[in-house]
Amino acid sequence: MFSNVLVVAGLLLCRLVLCRGFLVEDNPTPAPLPWWKSTIIYQVYPRSFQDSNGDGVGDLQGIISQLQYFKYIGVETLWLSPFYKSPQKDFGYDISDLKDVDPLFGNIQDFRRLVEEAKQLGLRILMDFVPNHTSDQHEWFQKSLKGDGKYRDFYVWSDGSLAANGTRIRPNNWISIFGGSVWTWREERQQFYLHQFTPEQPDLNYRNPDVREEMLLSIRYWLDQGIDGLRMDAIADLYEAENLTDNPLSGKPVPSNDWNYLIPKYTDYLVPEVPQEIMRWQGVFDSLEKLDGRERFMVLEFYTDSDTRAKMAAFGAHPFNMDLVDSLTVPLSARQIMGLVAQEYTNKPPSYWPTFVIGNHDRKRVANKYGRHTVNAFNMLLMTLKGTPTTYYGEELGMEDIEVTYKETQDPWAIIAGPDRYLLVSRDVNRSPMQWTAGYQAGFTTGNHTWLPIQANYTTYNVESEKTDPKSHLNLYKEYANLRQLSAFKYGDINVNVVTNDNVLSFLRYYGSERYLVAINFGQASSTDNYTRDPVGAATGTVVSDTGNVDASIAKNNNVDLSQLTLDPGNGVVIRLL
């Protein structure tokens, strides 16, 4: 009898287990998820991550040297921005050879070593793939320019029209994303070619089956290198209207050569061909999975609304959710943020899976857009939502944008915008070198220069220094990443119908008997709120993580009264419900 009591008592105690420092309840083993649903993706911008040879530009060997860093912060998947052979007119997004590495970054052997060493550490690799355009130095364009065989129609060419004075007039009013006309005249062909970005980036003609076939071969080439998937760039730009109809005016108060001057009705074009193209690409992924049983992941760059993302999910596509990058207004409102988050879980097909992003290589950093006090709050939100999170390098440190003069500007978009408007679009500011140490060149390079300036605050915000501070951006990011190993965050569902007002948003994550409340103040004032009502249904809880700036009474490891929880701007807590 006594021994039975001990057994029962032991079983009750064993219902509580320790998971990476968090006390959680034991639950039945869940069904395994596809790896990309439980991973954290970290965007590496190779030029700016780590330089191995002292030339001031990051490279593949530099990334290899820092692979242990990803293990330290709990990241499992690296997304590498382009390192293809390229004239670097748009820093690698102008590709002159889709199957080779630019010498600036190393060679194909370096890449294979990176993939192999990452695998040994349990890390996965995603690559940027640029299907919409190539460099004008690509062999295909050079042959197309000459009207050479099958390459003649590899790109979008047009005669335009003839003016009374005999000069050629562009086919329509379409404006490039980077500004100016999408049409550039080439004497060799006596035709205009189309480029949605810079003139050095001619758009491929996807209505040509030979182009589609070449893309499939290029995709297969990189998947055969052992990578785990691809991030597809500029999906919305694959197709334009065949009849070259003028885009309507937007009415926005911008210069007439600015992309926003027109509504891109016939250029930013989600026609039936785009989903069909994505399904062709996915077919390559699926065929390889049948051979080796290893699932590859394809994620799409696509700035669009939640309903369109859901439609794309119906045929297996996974567009990034850019809402938290591009749609937030300042000053921040928790109600607006929750509105954008909640729609990801409302009226969506079973195939839909959110892929949240808060920053990338094209947008200003969180600390600059919303204030340093929000850095930990956004990282907490990103890591605790249901979905796959993506972190842009340096956001885990709270890195800030740099100051760049027009004379120092390298970004082609900013150069085209001109000296009066370049800062409105500059992407140089958020691509500065990674801040590793407080020492020489922030530990990024041993050379005497860097391709972009290092942010002046590197002596404070760097990996080496932040590792020693338990409340640093870095260590809190690591803590939030560890939270994702708990069943409630890894496998669990989400309920967003808790407390949300102008200042505070909150939601529940739960799996079996595990239940966690996440509450974050993104507003402009303190807020005291009652969280005890349904669906929380608990009077108290234990804080398992916070944003490092909360009152001592609600800091990590404290039991808190949920009937009157006060959060100041930038405060956030994750609470295990009792």
Side-chain angles (χ1 to χ4, degrees):
M1 175 71 173
F2 181 68
S3 61
N4 287 342
V5 171
L6 288 177
V7 169
V8 171
L11 289 172
L12 289 172
L13 286 172
C14 286
R15 281 189 57 77
L16 294 177
V17 297
L18 192 65
C19 177
R20 292 204 182 187
F22 300 107
L23 201 60
V24 300
E25 293 193 15
D26 197 12
N27 285 302
T29 303
L33 287 172
W35 66 266
W36 49 270
K37 286 190 175 182
S38 60
T39 196
I40 299 169
I41 300 173
Y42 184 101
Q43 182 184 358
V44 175
Y45 195 70
R47 293 182 69 95
S48 298
F49 197 67
Q50 180 71 72
D51 173 24
S52 71
N53 60 7
D55 67 356
V57 179
D59 47 48
L60 296 179
Q61 290 283 2
I63 298 170
I64 293 170
S65 73
Q66 296 291 357
L67 287 177
Q68 286 291 345
Y69 174 69
F70 304 111
K71 298 293 290 184
Y72 175 78
I73 62 176
V75 162
E76 300 138 327
T77 301
L78 314 185
W79 153 26
L80 307 179
S81 293
F83 50 83
Y84 303 91
K85 193 171 183 181
S86 165
Q88 302 296 317
K89 297 296 184 181
D90 189 20
F91 303 114
Y93 285 92
D94 53 315
I95 299 170
S96 56
D97 190 336
L98 274 162
K99 297 178 182 177
D100 202 0
V101 174
D102 195 276
L104 185 68
F105 301 111
N107 55 46
I108 194 65
Q109 287 73 32
D110 294 327
F111 177 72
R112 289 168 180 158
R113 181 185 163 204
L114 170 59
V115 172
E116 181 60 30
E117 294 199 17
K119 283 187 176 183
Q120 290 174 6
L121 292 172
L123 300 171
R124 298 181 185 272
I125 300 290
L126 298 180
M127 274 181 57
D128 237 319
F129 193 79
V130 186
N132 178 68
H133 51 266
T134 69
S135 165
D136 61 353
Q137 300 305 307
H138 197 290
E139 178 187 16
W140 299 344
F141 186 77
Q142 292 301 309
K143 288 183 175 180
S144 187
L145 197 57
K146 298 172 185 176
D148 189 352
K150 74 170 187 177
Y151 298 100
R152 176 175 178 81
D153 296 320
F154 252 50
Y155 297 83
V156 181
W157 294 94
S158 174
D159 294 334
S161 58
L162 196 62
N165 63 1
T167 61
R168 284 287 174 179
I169 300 173
R170 293 184 178 99
N172 56 31
N173 71 344
W174 293 352
I175 296 175
S176 159
I177 291 167
F178 286 176
S181 175
V182 302
W183 300 102
T184 292
W185 177 258
R186 291 302 297 253
E187 288 289 337
E188 299 94 321
R189 270 191 64 141
Q190 290 292 294
Q191 282 186 308
F192 295 95
Y193 70 88
L194 181 141
H195 50 88
Q196 291 268 34
F197 295 90
T198 70
E200 293 85 5
Q201 294 168 286
D203 275 40
L204 288 160
N205 175 17
Y206 269 84
R207 293 190 171 90
N208 183 334
D210 289 331
V211 169
R212 300 197 296 268
E213 181 62 25
E214 286 288 356
M215 284 298 108
L216 295 179
L217 292 173
S218 297
I219 288 169
R220 176 65 187 260
Y221 174 82
W222 288 107
L223 293 179
D224 283 344
Q225 301 298 322
I227 65 172
D228 298 280
L230 295 170
R231 175 263 190 189
M232 297 298 195
D233 181 67
I235 293 303
D237 304 307
L238 289 183
Y239 285 85
E240 300 79 27
E242 282 190 276
N243 60 9
L244 305 185
T245 305
D246 277 359
N247 277 327
L249 298 176
S250 69
K252 294 181 179 178
V254 296
S256 60
N257 67 344
D258 189 293
W259 184 77
N260 291 290
Y261 185 74
L262 303 175
I263 299 171
K265 182 176 180 179
Y266 300 107
T267 46
D268 198 8
Y269 207 52
L270 185 62
V271 292
E273 289 93 337
V274 174
Q276 290 169 12
E277 213 58 58
I278 295 166
M279 286 189 283
R280 288 188 190 100
W281 301 338
Q282 186 62 48
V284 180
F285 287 55
D286 295 342
S287 65
L288 287 175
E289 185 178 358
K290 288 178 181 177
L291 290 175
D292 61 17
R294 190 163 66 87
E295 185 175 12
R296 282 83 169 172
F297 178 54
M298 179 167 56
V299 65
L300 314 176
E301 184 200 29
F302 196 25
Y303 288 81
T304 189
D305 58 83
S306 181
D307 289 341
T308 303
R309 288 194 293 270
K311 290 175 184 176
M312 297 182 76
F315 52 83
H318 301 286
F320 274 132
N321 176 347
M322 301 292 195
D323 291 349
L324 300 181
V325 175
D326 233 28
S327 301
L328 299 183
T329 56
V330 179
L332 289 174
S333 160
R335 199 182 303 278
Q336 182 195 23
I337 296 172
M338 180 52 84
L340 294 171
V341 167
Q343 65 186 2
E344 294 298 275
Y345 312 111
T346 306
N347 300 322
K348 294 296 184 290
S351 59
Y352 189 66
W353 184 261
T355 51
F356 289 105
V357 186
I358 58 172
N360 62 29
H361 60 295
D362 290 332
R363 298 295 187 268
K364 290 180 170 56
R365 291 189 175 275
V366 168
N368 290 86
K369 288 195 290 187
Y370 311 122
R372 176 161 298 281
H373 71 289
T374 69
V375 169
N376 297 337
F378 272 106
N379 283 334
M380 175 182 280
L381 178 70
L382 182 68
M383 292 297 164
T384 54
L385 289 171
K386 181 181 179 180
T388 300
T390 298
T391 292
Y392 181 52
Y393 85 95
E395 292 292 1
E396 76 280 14
L397 302 176
M399 279 178 61
E400 294 182 17
D401 295 343
I402 56 172
E403 294 184 2
V404 180
T405 66
Y406 186 69
K407 186 176 180 180
E408 296 170 321
T409 294
Q410 300 193 45
D411 178 10
W413 193 352
I415 291 170
I416 292 169
D420 296 330
R421 304 184 74 250
Y422 79 101
L423 286 176
L424 296 175
V425 297
S426 175
R427 301 168 299 171
D428 290 332
V429 297
N430 58 296
R431 295 176 175 181
S432 60
M434 180 69 170
Q435 295 161 202
W436 294 103
T437 73
Y440 181 73
Q441 303 284 37
F444 167 72
T445 183
T446 58
N448 59 13
H449 73 281
T450 57
W451 81 281
L452 280 174
I454 294 168
Q455 164 59 249
N457 66 12
Y458 77 93
T459 56
T460 300
Y461 300 105
N462 64 76
V463 173
E464 185 178 66
S465 300
E466 292 196 38
K467 276 186 175 181
T468 65
D469 178 2
K471 291 188 176 182
S472 68
H473 298 305
L474 177 64
N475 280 325
L476 288 174
Y477 179 93
K478 178 181 179 182
E479 183 170 290
Y480 308 150
N482 286 342
L483 277 174
R484 292 183 60 81
Q485 299 305 316
L486 302 175
S487 294
F489 294 100
K490 190 170 187 175
Y491 304 103
D493 212 334
I494 188 168
N495 188 327
V496 295
N497 298 311
V498 190
V499 172
T500 294
N501 52 50
D502 287 343
N503 294 305
V504 167
L505 61 78
S506 61
F507 51 91
L508 284 179
R509 295 301 310 274
Y510 53 93
Y511 178 82
S513 55
E514 275 188 46
R515 299 173 71 239
Y516 291 85
L517 170 68
V518 180
I520 307 174
N521 188 327
F522 282 107
Q524 311 307 307
S526 296
S527 188
T528 300
D529 299 284
N530 180 2
Y531 295 87
T532 62
R533 304 184 183 94
D534 286 339
V536 175
T540 60
T542 301
V543 179
V544 298
S545 187
D546 64 60
T547 47
N549 56 357
V550 300
D551 185 84
S553 64
I554 59 170
K556 185 178 177 180
N557 297 324
N558 280 311
N559 288 341
V560 292
D561 178 1
L562 296 178
S563 68
Q564 46 181 2
L565 179 63
T566 299
L567 296 174
D568 292 332
N571 285 179
V573 286
V574 179
I575 299 171
R576 181 169 58 88
L577 299 177
L578 300 177

